[in-house]
Coordinates of all heavy atoms in Angstrom, one line a residue:
P1273 N 3.9 3.6 24.5 CA 4.5 2.5 25.4 C 5.9 2.8 26.1 O 6.3 2.1 26.9 CB 4.7 1.4 24.4 CG 4.8 2.1 23.0 CD 4.0 3.3 23.2
R1274 N 6.5 3.9 25.6 CA 7.8 4.1 26.1 C 7.8 5.1 27.4 O 8.3 4.8 28.4 CB 8.8 4.7 25.1 CG 10.2 4.6 25.5 CD 11.2 4.6 24.3 NE 11.5 6.1 24.1 CZ 12.4 6.3 23.1 NH1 13.0 5.4 22.4 NH2 12.7 7.6 22.9
C1275 N 7.1 6.2 27.2 CA 7.1 7.2 28.3 C 5.6 7.3 28.9 O 5.5 8.0 30.0 CB 7.5 8.6 27.8 SG 6.4 9.3 26.6
G1276 N 4.7 6.7 28.4 CA 3.4 6.7 29.0 C 2.6 7.8 28.8 O 1.4 8.0 29.5
S1277 N 2.9 8.8 27.9 CA 2.2 10.0 27.8 C 1.1 9.7 26.7 O 1.2 8.8 25.9 CB 3.0 11.2 27.4 OG 3.6 10.9 26.0
L1278 N 0.0 10.5 26.9 CA -1.1 10.3 25.9 C -0.9 11.1 24.6 O -0.3 12.2 24.7 CB -2.4 10.8 26.6 CG -2.9 10.1 27.8 CD1 -4.0 10.8 28.4 CD2 -3.4 8.7 27.3
N1279 N -1.2 10.6 23.6 CA -0.9 11.2 22.3 C -2.2 11.4 21.5 O -3.1 10.6 21.4 CB 0.0 10.3 21.5 CG 1.5 10.4 21.9 OD1 2.2 11.3 21.8 ND2 1.8 9.4 22.7
E1280 N -2.2 12.4 20.8 CA -3.3 12.7 19.9 C -3.1 12.0 18.6 O -2.0 11.9 18.1 CB -3.5 14.3 19.6 CG -4.8 14.8 19.5 CD -5.0 16.3 19.4 OE1 -4.2 16.9 20.1 OE2 -5.8 16.8 18.7
R1281 N -4.2 11.4 18.0 CA -4.1 10.7 16.8 C -4.1 11.8 15.7 O -4.8 12.8 15.6 CB -5.4 10.0 16.6 CG -5.1 8.6 16.0 CD -6.4 7.8 15.9 NE -6.5 6.9 17.1 CZ -6.0 5.7 17.2 NH1 -5.3 5.3 16.2 NH2 -6.2 5.0 18.2
F1282 N -3.1 11.6 14.8 CA -3.0 12.6 13.7 C -3.1 11.8 12.3 O -2.8 10.7 12.2 CB -1.8 13.4 13.7 CG -0.5 12.6 13.6 CD1 0.0 12.5 12.3 CD2 0.2 11.9 14.6 CE1 1.2 11.7 12.0 CE2 1.2 11.2 14.4 CZ 1.8 11.0 13.2
K1283 N -3.6 12.6 11.3 CA -3.5 11.9 10.0 C -2.1 12.1 9.4 O -1.5 13.3 9.3 CB -4.5 12.7 9.2 CG -6.0 12.1 9.2 CD -6.8 12.7 8.2 CE -8.2 12.5 8.4 NZ -8.7 11.2 8.2
P1284 N -1.6 11.0 8.9 CA -0.2 11.0 8.3 C -0.4 11.9 7.0 O -1.2 11.6 6.2 CB 0.1 9.6 8.1 CG -1.2 8.9 8.1 CD -2.1 9.7 9.0
E1285 N 0.5 12.7 6.8 CA 0.5 13.6 5.6 C 1.0 12.8 4.4 O 1.8 12.0 4.5 CB 1.3 14.8 5.7 CG 2.8 14.6 6.1 CD 3.2 14.5 7.5 OE1 2.4 14.2 8.4 OE2 4.4 15.0 7.8

Side-chain angles (χ1 to χ4, degrees):
R1274 198 155 91 175
C1275 66
S1277 69
L1278 294 170
N1279 285 283
E1280 217 173 320
R1281 221 176 264 278
F1282 68 94
K1283 274 193 191 289
E1285 61 266 32

